[in-house]
Amino acid sequence: MSQSVVVKTRKFMKNPLLSRRQMIVDIIHPGRANVAKSELQGVIGGMHKTDAKLVVLFGFRTKFGGGKSTGFCVIYDNEDALLKFEPKHRLVRQGLAEKKETSRKAIKEAKNKGLKIRGTGASIAKHKAKRAANAD
């Protein structure tokens, strides 16, 4: 993996409301399948004179035939802004947040349990509860 990689940016934009700079990144990597995001973070951080931890890369697609990839890059002004505005799943990928452990089955069971007492079923259940209370 010692082959050279060319990194070009386009559509650069400063976004002061989210305290970040954002751009589209084109990577030319002939002879390589793709390039690791961790490697690109260092390169782009050096290009824009910032810490590699503040660079977030996502949405990369390799062109048909290989040799070129395009993705999106966001460079935050500080770590507080990164933690505030970046989605949780990307923070997990960066290693800045812990993944919430829940099972898909538990989520679906909770959803279905909630569905059972809504709508007409809820009014029937209330009616039965009322009759049972009056019978006593």
Side-chain angles (χ1 to χ4, degrees):
M1 289 220 177
S2 61
Q3 296 168 340
S4 64
V5 173
V6 179
V7 179
K8 294 180 182 178
T9 61
R10 59 187 169 94
K11 295 191 178 181
F12 180 87
M13 181 176 130
K14 284 187 180 178
N15 191 339
L17 291 174
L18 299 177
S19 41
R20 70 185 191 188
R21 295 166 278 175
Q22 53 198 49
M23 66 207 80
I24 293 174
V25 181
D26 293 322
I27 292 107
I28 300 164
H29 48 91
R32 285 175 72 169
N34 50 28
V35 186
K37 287 181 189 169
S38 56
E39 185 180 332
L40 291 174
Q41 277 180 320
V43 172
I44 293 171
M47 282 171 57
H48 291 274
K49 297 180 179 73
T50 186
D51 189 17
K53 290 190 296 185
L54 300 175
V55 178
V56 181
L57 299 158
F58 59 95
F60 277 86
R61 289 278 169 252
T62 306
K63 298 284 186 219
F64 180 74
K68 183 179 178 185
S69 297
T70 302
F72 201 73
C73 175
V74 172
I75 303 171
Y76 284 92
D77 295 343
N78 53 42
E79 198 167 340
D80 294 335
L82 172 72
L83 294 171
K84 183 177 179 183
F85 296 118
E86 200 61 19
K88 298 290 181 272
H89 70 277
R90 281 197 226 134
L91 290 175
V92 170
R93 287 180 194 168
Q94 294 269 97
L96 298 171
E98 290 296 316
K99 186 175 181 181
K100 191 170 80 170
E101 289 297 325
T102 81
S103 71
R104 188 172 165 84
K105 185 177 180 183
I107 292 168
K108 289 187 175 228
E109 284 175 355
K111 177 200 61 118
N112 289 331
K113 190 174 185 181
L115 288 174
K116 286 178 185 172
I117 56 165
R118 285 199 172 94
T120 56
S123 63
I124 292 168
K126 285 178 194 170
H127 179 70
K128 286 184 179 178
K130 197 173 193 181
R131 284 180 78 186
N134 289 339
D136 290 330

